[in-house]
Amino acid sequence: MTGDPLREFDDGLAFWKTRPRWPQDLHNSFYTARQSKTDGTFGPPWWEDTLRHLFRWRATRGSTFEDLRRRFEENHAALVTVWQDVILPRLGADITTVSWDDVRALPDLAARIKPTAGSSGVFPSKLSHFIAPRLFPVLDRLALGGGSDYGRYFELVQQTWAGTEPADRELLRQRLTAHVHAHSGGTMVNGYPVVNKIVELRLIGRAHPSAL
């Protein structure tokens, strides 16, 4: 059962503001910087920068940097192929226009770089999000709780957006844009993952409703 989309969004944003390490521009500056670094070659400088961000986003726990570097090197050629065959043709789209089966090759490959006993979707979601943020939502169990199956979460994001009335969608876009502008000097990067961020905040709001 879902509640008021606008209330969920506001509650999610309120929770976000309580997290001292979560940027108040909702990662707008992060997406701006990453766009110029992802060229499809995924060379060593790209991976080292990505690895630092994955650490900051708490996605590397349980693995050493050495193990992650080794498995990245082992899967590097496959990553370039997935980028060329699966991601690049859809890079102008977003999560509303693809199916899980269309794009799952990237998170499936990411799971080989950081395998876990419980098949956690946290690392695959974050690495995939760094590469194509409009296609892949972030799965953060601290904020959202619940299971860690990334395919189910991906489809939950799609279903949540599909079940939102058009008028509410527009209001949510306006609220998100206004917040990002207020914390980014009036700009939102072209290609910002609007749908993914709105639904992420709504799901956070469901998990952490305001007492007011």
Side-chain angles (χ1 to χ4, degrees):
M1 181 175 180
T2 64
D4 174 15
L6 301 177
R7 176 61 184 271
E8 290 175 347
F9 178 89
D10 289 344
D11 286 349
L13 190 57
F15 179 84
W16 187 287
K17 292 176 180 179
T18 69
R19 312 306 298 176
R21 296 185 180 181
W22 293 9
Q24 292 310 303
D25 71 346
L26 302 179
H27 295 296
N28 187 58
S29 59
F30 171 80
Y31 300 125
T32 302
R34 293 293 297 182
Q35 276 188 351
S36 63
K37 296 178 180 178
T38 303
D39 62 1
T41 62
F42 305 106
W46 178 90
W47 176 241
E48 289 303 315
D49 180 71
T50 298
L51 197 52
R52 287 192 294 271
H53 284 295
L54 288 168
F55 175 78
R56 291 173 189 146
W57 286 39
R58 298 175 180 251
T60 62
R61 286 177 290 184
S63 293
T64 66
F65 276 23
E66 290 74 15
D67 284 342
L68 292 169
R69 289 186 180 107
R70 174 178 54 80
R71 286 193 291 265
F72 175 78
E73 290 175 2
E74 293 171 351
N75 289 279
H76 177 261
L79 175 59
V80 172
T81 298
V82 168
W83 166 265
Q84 293 172 345
D85 294 348
V86 177
I87 304 304
L88 189 58
R90 298 176 171 88
L91 206 57
D94 70 9
I95 194 173
T96 66
T97 61
V98 299
S99 70
W100 171 244
D101 285 337
D102 287 337
V103 296
R104 66 174 298 169
L106 181 55
D108 284 352
L109 186 148
R112 302 204 314 248
I113 297 173
K114 185 178 183 288
T116 60
S119 300
S120 170
V122 173
F123 181 90
S125 83
K126 292 181 179 179
L127 179 56
S128 299
H129 184 76
F130 288 1
I131 293 172
R134 296 179 70 204
L135 292 175
F136 298 101
V138 170
L139 171 60
D140 190 312
R141 295 188 68 186
L142 172 66
L144 300 172
S148 62
D149 183 283
Y150 188 46
R152 290 182 182 178
Y153 178 70
F154 183 98
E155 292 175 344
L156 173 62
V157 172
Q158 291 182 316
Q159 293 161 6
T160 301
W161 185 254
T164 305
E165 294 294 332
D168 286 334
R169 291 183 188 178
E170 181 57 29
L171 289 172
L172 289 163
R173 288 179 185 273
Q174 291 174 9
R175 290 193 184 189
L176 177 70
T177 301
H179 182 88
V180 171
H181 282 182
H183 294 85
S184 303
T187 62
M188 175 184 277
V189 64
N190 185 33
Y192 187 94
V194 171
V195 172
N196 285 338
K197 186 59 65 178
I198 287 173
V199 176
E200 178 187 359
L201 288 168
R202 285 183 58 190
L203 295 177
I204 291 172
R206 287 183 196 174
H208 302 275
S210 171
L212 298 179

